[in-house]
Structures are given as C-alpha cells and as structure tokens.
Amino acid sequence: MTTDPFLHAAIDEARIGMEEGGIPIGSVIVHGGRILGRGHNRRVQRGSTVLHGEMDALENAGRLTAAIYRECVLYTTLSPCAMCSGAILLYGIPKVIVGENRTFMGEEDLLRSRGVRVEVADDPQCVEMMRRFIAEHPDLWNEDIGE
C-alpha cells in the first residue's frame, strides 16, 4: 500500500471510477503540495472519447497559467497513453508519478525524451486493480486503449 498521499488520492479516484461502472484509472495534479485537480476515467460514464483519468484531472483543475503547469506533478495510477502524454507535454508538466506500468506501458519513453521526469511506483494496488478489471472487462479495456 502506498504511503504517498497524492498517489493514494489517485487510487481513490480510480476506485470511484470503478464503482461508477467505468475504467479504474485515476489521477491528480499537484502544485506546491496541494491538489489542484482530481479525476478518473469517465469514458463510460459520460460517453466520452477523451475523458481519461489524466484528462479529467486537468479539466477539473480548471484553466491555469503555463507557469503553474510548469511547477506541477501529475500522479496517475496507470502509465499515460499517447493522448494524455500529449497533454502533459503541451502544458509543460515536468514530473509524472505512475502507479504502475505492468498492465499497460504508455508513452513513458516519449515523456522522458522531452525532459519529463517519470517515476514508476509499481504500486501493488494499482497493478491488482487493473489486472482484475482487464480480466473481467477485456472488450471495454481494448476500446479504451484503441484496439
């Protein structure tokens, strides 16, 4: 179990998403030790094509200046996909903490190549939540990652 309060908040978001019948991926965006935005994958709940956990957290943080984004840390329970990595790069978020990348390896190499510090926590809760979800809902998972 993680002791990082911000990763724990992202895990809480993932659990909310799962309880709502969606995909259990959560994220929070942190600035100066304070959560500015939190979110979870809401593609199912909202019939959305873009509301991954990271995108939801960014949306819920609201409009921020570039200077704020450049001082933020984004926490996510799963390695960021191409779309979410693009948003991280677009807004200049310098650091991403990933709960796990065993069940899905996103664009971590791209992020690192562009100067983003990516740290993988390899959190057992994150791994188990995704493994269970993928086993129980393979079609929904494949839809979410574009397969």
Side-chain angles (χ1 to χ4, degrees), residues 34-122:
R34 184 173 71 90
I35 295 175
L36 298 181
R38 56 179 62 231
H40 52 274
N41 188 306
R42 295 178 196 249
R43 290 188 69 245
V44 172
Q45 299 92 312
R46 298 254 176 103
S48 171
T49 60
V50 297
L51 276 182
H52 283 190
E54 300 91 335
M55 302 299 278
D56 194 40
L58 285 165
E59 179 71 15
N60 290 328
R63 188 173 161 195
L64 303 172
T65 66
I68 297 293
Y69 287 120
R70 287 192 298 264
E71 297 174 345
C72 286
V73 178
L74 183 107
Y75 288 76
T76 181
T77 58
L78 187 65
S79 186
C81 73
M83 174 179 66
C84 296
S85 294
I88 291 163
L89 294 173
L90 177 67
Y91 293 111
I93 297 169
K95 185 174 182 180
V96 177
I97 307 294
V98 175
E100 70 103 347
N101 62 6
R102 292 186 198 188
T103 60
F104 176 77
M105 173 59 78
E107 298 296 329
E108 293 175 27
D109 288 342
L110 171 64
L111 292 170
R112 288 184 181 106
S113 77
R114 298 282 296 275
V116 177
R117 291 175 309 196
V118 178
E119 296 177 13
V120 180
D122 199 27

Side-chain angles (χ1 to χ4, degrees), residues 121-136:
D122 199 27
D123 183 87
Q125 293 175 93
C126 294
V127 174
E128 176 56 29
M129 194 170 5
M130 284 311 300
R131 281 189 176 153
R132 186 173 59 243
F133 178 81
I134 292 167
E136 293 173 2

